[in-house]
Amino acid sequence: MAVLLGAWFSSAGTPPIKAPKPAGAPAAAHPAAAGPTTIAALAQLWSEAMQQQDMAKATACMSKNVRFLVNGEPVMSGRDSVTTYWLKRSFSNTSNLKPTPLQMNSDATMGYGTGYYTYDIKPMANLPKGATGRGSYMIASRKEGAIWQFAYIHLAEDPIKPNK
């Protein structure tokens, strides 16, 4: 089961994304990008979006041609497919995401992040008391124009443990 997580490799020292200028503010010579302009800002935005289960923000972090892989399932391609299959499903049946970032690094145009995660699965017909899950992730990012987006998301999920 594909579960929310991914790029929770932000740190407490990650700077926040700057808010847009108020209406009526003079236009800059070059307009600001409509998204995170550093990999750290992308990680922070993604982490917040996933923990808040904010579909629009999480989707905006992914490249239009993002590739998504979970444990040996077929690779999924495209932001719309990943949003429909993974995010909507994950947000409807999981909670209490706890990421453990391990590494994050980038050069001027490409970056990656790795880590572990745990989460809870809400009670449902086949899991009346819910369950817990965990796994690891690897995310590849690239700079598209002036903004950073996820190009590849790979999750390695362990078997879930039903609550007793």
Side-chain angles (χ1 to χ4, degrees):
M1 170 174 44
V3 182
L4 57 107
L5 9 104
W8 291 276
F9 46 79
S10 61
S11 67
T14 302
I17 298 172
K18 293 183 180 180
K21 290 188 177 192
H30 300 285
T37 57
T38 67
I39 193 167
L42 174 63
Q44 182 68 31
L45 180 64
W46 177 258
S47 179
E48 291 169 2
M50 296 301 286
Q51 289 180 13
Q52 296 167 4
Q53 296 191 342
D54 186 321
M55 188 79 62
K57 282 183 184 177
T59 299
C61 291
M62 294 183 283
S63 166
K64 181 179 178 183
N65 298 314
V66 66
R67 311 252 312 158
F68 177 78
L69 177 65
V70 175
N71 289 3
E73 292 181 16
V75 175
M76 185 174 305
S77 296
R79 180 173 39 213
D80 293 341
S81 296
V82 173
T83 296
T84 300
Y85 173 77
W86 180 48
L87 290 177
K88 284 183 181 178
R89 195 166 118 190
S90 295
F91 289 172
S92 70
N93 65 14
T94 64
S95 64
N96 200 27
L97 172 67
K98 292 183 181 173
T100 304
L102 294 178
Q103 288 191 2
M104 180 175 73
N105 205 348
S106 71
D107 64 16
T109 60
M110 295 182 69
Y112 73 93
T114 64
Y116 296 95
Y117 59 87
T118 61
Y119 60 95
D120 294 328
I121 298 174
K122 297 173 185 175
M124 56 183 85
N126 62 334
L127 295 166
K129 294 183 179 181
T132 59
R134 68 183 192 161
S136 59
Y137 64 85
M138 194 284 301
I139 304 288
S141 307
R142 71 173 169 245
K143 195 171 184 182
E144 297 185 6
I147 65 169
W148 283 88
Q149 291 187 311
F150 295 124
Y152 181 77
I153 302 168
H154 185 156
L155 303 180
E157 293 189 333
D158 295 342
I160 62 169
K161 293 185 179 180
N163 295 337
K164 295 181 180 187

